Amino acid sequence: MDQAYLEELCKSLRLSHIPKVIDTDGFDSKEDWLLFLLKNELRSREEAKTIRLYKQSKLPCRRTLSTYEWHNQISLPSPTTKEELTSLSFIKQCQNAVFVGTPGTGKTHLACALGTLATENGIDTRFWRVSDLVSELERQWKNNTLDAFRKRFDKVKLIILDEMGYVPFTKEGAELLFQLISDWYETKSVIITSNLEFSQWNKVFIDARLTAALVDRLIHHAHILSFTGESFRLKNALSKHK
């Protein structure tokens, strides 16, 4: 069999994974062999899609729920449950999740773990540090390419915005972020991590009315988790010096 021709033919039929396993033997019938090839093609496509989605997500590191510690200082609002979050049902319903509280208590870890799980379930995901996103919005706006940038999110279903409140915005940056989040309202899910209570967000957005409108959109249909306690990073650092 001409391997190059076979690969070209399979590629044109969008069955590019078949040539890799076509010489597999040990089947009782041609039908079983064909079924194996088709199942392998489907499985390989799903694996390739997961890898692609994770790469596109720009998640800073691979975190999983299996390594996450649901410590007793995470407060989940009723009727939200861990299972509701980890089942990703809130994404299917275009609901948001806001993780607020002390730095170093697991907010970003949980957000990234949910993002990783989302990519494994075929959900297009994007991760942005809020300060980086605002800087990029301002750059796109100055270059008159903002509309094209906003369209990049058309097929995205989950957006993770990390570290809301660490850096204050300019008036223009705050307005651009507000417009973008307004685009996503009730059409996508947003996970936000912040070390600031909602009442303090006006320190970041400056404009009190803009802050109120933004918070209103984010917390509508949202699961708000409160994180308290001592920073894990600080605790680990101190234990190394004992």
Side-chain angles (χ1 to χ4, degrees):
M1 183 183 294
D2 188 329
Q3 186 69 18
Y5 177 68
L6 173 64
E7 291 179 1
E8 182 181 344
L9 186 61
C10 286
K11 186 176 181 180
S12 67
L13 293 170
R14 297 183 180 180
L15 298 170
S16 57
H17 299 284
I18 281 183
K20 301 172 187 176
V21 293
I22 200 165
D23 292 329
T24 306
D25 54 21
F27 299 95
D28 295 331
S29 65
K30 292 180 179 179
E31 289 78 6
D32 288 343
W33 175 69
L34 178 59
L35 185 61
F36 163 77
L37 293 179
L38 295 177
K39 283 184 175 180
N40 180 77
E41 178 70 26
L42 183 59
R43 183 175 62 255
S44 298
R45 286 185 184 186
E46 290 172 346
E47 291 172 354
K49 180 181 179 181
T50 297
I51 293 170
R52 175 175 55 81
L53 287 176
Y54 182 80
K55 185 176 180 180
Q56 290 176 346
S57 73
K58 304 298 183 183
L59 285 158
C61 54
R62 186 176 289 275
R63 301 288 190 182
T64 65
L65 291 170
S66 63
T67 61
Y68 188 71
E69 180 184 344
W70 290 91
H71 56 85
N72 58 12
Q73 290 177 307
I74 300 176
S75 175
L76 285 80
S78 178
T80 300
T81 63
K82 289 188 290 185
E83 291 71 28
E84 187 170 7
L85 288 175
T86 57
S87 71
L88 306 181
S89 62
F90 73 101
I91 300 175
K92 299 180 181 72
Q93 299 173 55
C94 296
Q95 297 174 348
N96 300 329
V98 184
F99 305 157
V100 180
T102 311
T105 50
K107 302 185 299 298
T108 298
H109 185 153
L110 179 57
C112 288
L114 291 172
T116 299
L117 183 62
T119 63
E120 292 170 353
N121 282 268
I123 298 171
D124 209 339
T125 301
R126 292 293 183 279
F127 176 97
W128 280 90
R129 285 192 173 84
V130 177
S131 58
D132 293 340
L133 177 58
V134 172
S135 295
E136 183 64 18
L137 287 168
E138 291 177 325
R139 188 180 72 83
Q140 297 282 348
W141 178 66
K142 289 174 183 175
N143 292 338
N144 294 316
T145 53
L146 184 60
D147 286 343
F149 178 73
R150 288 161 71 170
K151 286 180 181 178
R152 294 184 196 175
F153 294 93
D154 284 354
K155 295 182 180 180
V156 178
K157 294 300 180 184
L158 173 65
I159 300 102
I160 299 171
L161 301 181
D162 192 36
E163 298 184 349
M164 176 77 81
Y166 279 78
V167 180
F169 309 136
T170 63
K171 183 175 184 295
E172 291 78 12
E175 290 174 350
L176 289 168
L177 181 60
F178 173 77
Q179 291 170 10
L180 190 62
I181 291 177
S182 294
D183 287 348
W184 302 336
Y185 181 58
E186 294 190 326
T187 63
K188 306 179 188 301
S189 289
V190 181
I191 297 177
I192 286 186
T193 73
S194 178
N195 64 328
L196 297 178
E197 298 291 339
F198 293 124
S199 61
Q200 298 177 305
W201 280 24
N202 57 0
K203 296 178 182 178
V204 181
F205 288 93
I206 304 171
D207 187 316
R209 286 184 296 179
L210 184 70
T211 305
L214 178 68
V215 171
D216 181 66
R217 281 165 174 74
L218 287 173
I219 67 174
H220 190 216
H221 309 308
H223 306 274
I224 304 169
L225 278 65
S226 176
F227 292 69
T228 58
E230 186 181 358
S231 165
F232 292 140
R233 290 190 293 269
L234 177 60
K235 189 186 299 182
N236 290 337
L238 292 174
S239 66
K240 292 177 181 178
H241 293 283
K242 286 183 178 179

